[in-house]
Amino acid sequence: MNAPRVLLADDHVILLEALRRLLEPYCDVIGVATDGRSLLEMAESLRPDIIVADIYMPNLNGLDACEIMTSKGGNKVIFLTVTEDPDTAAEAIRRGALGYVLKKSAPAELFKAIQAVMLGRPYISPAVTTEPPNVFIARARSHRREEPLTIRQSEVLQLLAEGKSMKEAADMLKVSTRTITFHKYRMMELLGLTRNAELI
């Protein structure tokens, strides 16, 4: 079997470089992204076999990026994160991820996850749940996510929360400022908020 083509995404550059060096003897690391939006662009242009990404990234978080990528088909996502919370892992699975590995894990565990996901099998760090991966994933997928915001609204909210102006958010999302304004006030209406500070 050919070495898997892997795209890495994390906003910590030192960690990215360490991860690249760790994987390069066994994988073809075809690119690195430092935020969720560049991850989307690189995934579309490079078409990797595997994406290893952090959850918490600027411009677009890993969960939203995963949902967008996997909705288009073809992308196998493994989250490499510090978050041990089973609910977050379940949310990652609902968004389309096939793997969930903790950053505190031994390198061998990440290799094991990559091998499993390449074969179409899920992998969840044993430190997250004692359930077999298939059972955990089936249970996660059976629970409908009750999320009042759309993916685009979540994107807008994250950019505004990071301090971007409405014009900057519009430029990044390639939409008009009026569209950003619409999403902002629609979110406030949905969430029952009256002030910008409450939304952020």
Side-chain angles (χ1 to χ4, degrees):
M1 186 168 67
N2 293 333
R5 299 170 68 254
V6 178
L7 174 60
L8 306 176
D10 197 295
D11 61 331
H12 294 92
V13 178
I14 291 177
L15 190 147
L16 265 183
E17 285 306 310
L19 196 53
R20 181 205 282 269
R21 292 185 183 188
L22 176 70
L23 293 179
E24 275 182 336
Y26 314 97
C27 304
D28 180 11
V29 179
I30 58 173
V32 295
T34 55
D35 66 80
R37 194 143 304 282
S38 59
L39 170 59
L40 285 185
E41 293 168 359
M42 294 177 77
E44 189 166 347
S45 62
L46 298 175
R47 301 196 176 280
D49 298 318
I50 298 276
I51 294 167
V52 178
D54 193 10
I55 287 179
Y56 303 106
M57 293 186 289
N59 298 332
L60 184 68
N61 67 71
L63 293 173
D64 287 342
C66 177
E67 187 168 6
I68 293 168
M69 291 185 297
T70 56
S71 69
K72 297 177 181 178
N75 288 305
K76 296 183 174 74
V77 178
I78 297 172
F79 280 115
L80 182 62
T81 178
V82 297
T83 306
E84 300 181 37
D85 176 40
D87 290 339
T88 304
E91 181 64 12
I93 297 306
R94 281 192 288 273
R95 299 289 189 105
L98 277 177
Y100 195 93
V101 179
L102 300 180
K103 285 183 177 178
K104 72 176 188 179
S105 303
E109 189 173 340
L110 179 57
F111 293 129
K112 191 174 179 181
I114 290 172
Q115 289 171 348
V117 169
M118 278 295 290
L119 295 172
R121 296 199 305 260
Y123 185 91
I124 308 291
S125 269
V128 173
T129 177
T130 56
E131 291 180 304
N134 287 331
V135 174
F136 181 86
I137 284 176
R139 190 168 53 79
R141 288 174 177 166
S142 69
H143 286 76
R144 252 179 79 89
R145 181 166 60 100
E146 298 198 8
E147 174 58 66
L149 304 181
T150 64
I151 295 176
R152 178 44 60 94
Q153 287 168 343
S154 295
E155 290 179 275
V156 170
L157 180 56
Q158 179 165 343
L159 292 173
L160 295 178
E162 289 174 1
K164 304 285 193 303
S165 69
M166 287 200 282
K167 185 180 184 312
E168 288 171 327
D171 290 342
M172 293 185 72
L173 297 177
K174 297 179 174 60
V175 297
S176 69
T177 305
R178 181 177 291 184
T179 299
I180 299 296
T181 304
F182 168 79
H183 283 309
K184 174 185 160 186
Y185 288 109
R186 180 66 181 140
M187 284 188 286
M188 292 175 74
E189 180 185 349
L190 285 169
L191 300 172
L193 306 175
T194 57
R195 295 181 299 145
N196 288 343
E198 293 175 320
L199 179 64
I200 303 308

